[in-house]
Amino acid sequence: MTRSYYAPQGGLPGQNEALYEPARFTTSYALIPAVTMTDIVTSNLPGWDKTRAWIIARPMTGFAETFAQLIVEVAPGGGATAPEPDAGAEGVVFVVKGTVTVTIDGTARALSEGGYAFLAPGADWQVANASDAPVTFHWVRKRYEVAPGVDVPESFVSCDAEGTLIEMKDTDGGWATTRFVAPDDLRHDMHVNIVTIRPGNRIPFAETHVMEHGLYVLQGRGRYLLNTDWVDVGPGDFMWLRAFCPQACVAEGDTDFRYLLYKDVNRHPGLTL
């Protein structure tokens, strides 16, 4: 399998360009295309040095309810010694460009493109760019939901190439998911996986279920059903899907269509808003 990982380029489109059409924000889904992730929409983060971030999801009324997702770009010598401001948060770091050093409970690990770190709730962790080039990674954050009689998960480090690729039944390898956590491990209340759909293959039915989704296209192109709309998506595009939003997909072109997928799992549905 050939793997590539799209990272935002920054900059600003020229005055002769009109890139309005792809962006969409609806009550059931949002599409934030790669072309909108320019310099002028980045945010600074307290406690982070030489860093900027594209914040592509955050809990708010009418949008993401369970998670936040940031694309973080750290210049050489930058990073954070206390990156997470919420003591009850868990997280995932997934690297799409360069090499970053993530230190968890005193143990430092260098993560390159495709590198993955699960950060347990309350973990003592730091991040630093000790290289001579910028590094870019996704930082997915969720407030951990404690379940009676269920242990809190531990932090771990992995990578895309080491994840367990599980083929969807009856697809002959046309549709598969790289899992970093076993689906039946009730300690985990979120999954951040990688979905791979081979060229010409598809999700052939409209999935409609309780999980909220965040999808960031790592490589390839696809045609994606979001509620009642079919949209063309490619590297760097981000999709948010509300719970129960119908979704399906057709992989197009001659390259595997791959995306980083967040979803909330393994907990009773709450009875309050």
Side-chain angles (χ1 to χ4, degrees):
M1 178 189 298
T2 301
R3 297 178 175 90
S4 61
Y5 309 97
Y6 185 89
Q9 307 301 304
L12 190 66
Q15 288 293 291
N16 62 337
E17 297 185 80
L19 304 175
Y20 308 121
E21 178 61 28
R24 303 187 187 190
F25 191 97
T26 76
T27 56
S28 57
Y29 76 87
L31 170 59
I32 303 175
V35 295
T36 67
M37 297 184 201
T38 65
D39 292 347
I40 64 173
V41 297
T42 58
S43 298
N44 298 316
L45 303 175
W48 288 72
D49 296 325
K50 301 180 180 180
T51 298
R52 64 177 183 171
W54 287 271
I55 300 175
I56 56 177
R58 53 164 282 194
M60 58 182 283
T61 302
F63 191 46
E65 298 175 348
T66 61
F67 75 111
Q69 186 162 344
L70 300 80
I71 305 174
V72 183
E73 181 184 88
V74 183
T81 57
E84 177 54 72
D86 190 326
E90 60 188 325
V92 163
V93 165
F94 183 79
V95 182
V96 292
K97 180 181 178 181
T99 300
V100 67
T101 300
V102 177
T103 302
I104 306 174
D105 297 327
T107 300
R109 297 285 296 271
L111 301 182
S112 298
E113 295 174 11
Y116 184 108
F118 172 74
L119 308 161
D124 176 17
W125 66 282
Q126 298 82 40
V127 60
N129 182 1
S131 73
D132 57 2
V135 62
T136 306
F137 54 87
H138 285 255
W139 180 20
V140 181
R141 304 170 58 228
K142 181 183 183 297
R143 184 167 292 174
Y144 184 70
E145 185 178 346
V146 175
V150 177
D151 293 335
V152 175
E154 299 175 348
S155 301
F156 67 87
V157 172
S158 185
C159 69
D160 183 6
E162 294 178 357
T164 302
L165 187 64
I166 300 177
E167 296 181 358
M168 182 62 65
K169 183 180 178 181
D170 298 329
T171 66
D172 194 27
W175 173 18
T177 301
T178 302
R179 299 187 181 277
F180 299 93
V181 172
D184 58 356
D185 186 344
L186 293 181
R187 298 177 303 164
H188 289 270
D189 66 347
M190 76 167 181
H191 288 167
V192 179
N193 299 322
I194 298 173
V195 174
T196 300
I197 304 177
R198 305 288 188 185
N201 286 275
R202 66 188 64 225
I203 299 174
F205 60 97
E207 291 188 56
T208 307
H209 49 66
V210 69
M211 294 175 286
E212 180 178 30
H213 284 36
L215 290 75
Y216 178 86
V217 181
L218 297 170
Q219 71 176 58
R221 304 202 65 83
R223 188 159 177 77
Y224 218 95
L225 175 65
L226 300 171
N227 196 14
T228 59
D229 303 325
W230 283 96
V231 299
D232 294 315
V233 292
D237 293 339
F238 176 76
M239 294 169 276
W240 163 77
L241 287 71
R242 195 180 200 129
F244 301 108
C245 176
Q247 61 168 311
C249 178
V250 179
E252 300 184 329
D254 55 5
T255 302
D256 289 347
F257 180 59
R258 306 184 78 225
Y259 53 84
L260 189 69
L261 171 65
Y262 160 88
K263 56 186 178 182
D264 55 313
V265 296
N266 293 339
R267 292 296 184 268
H268 291 289
L271 299 180
T272 59
L273 296 178

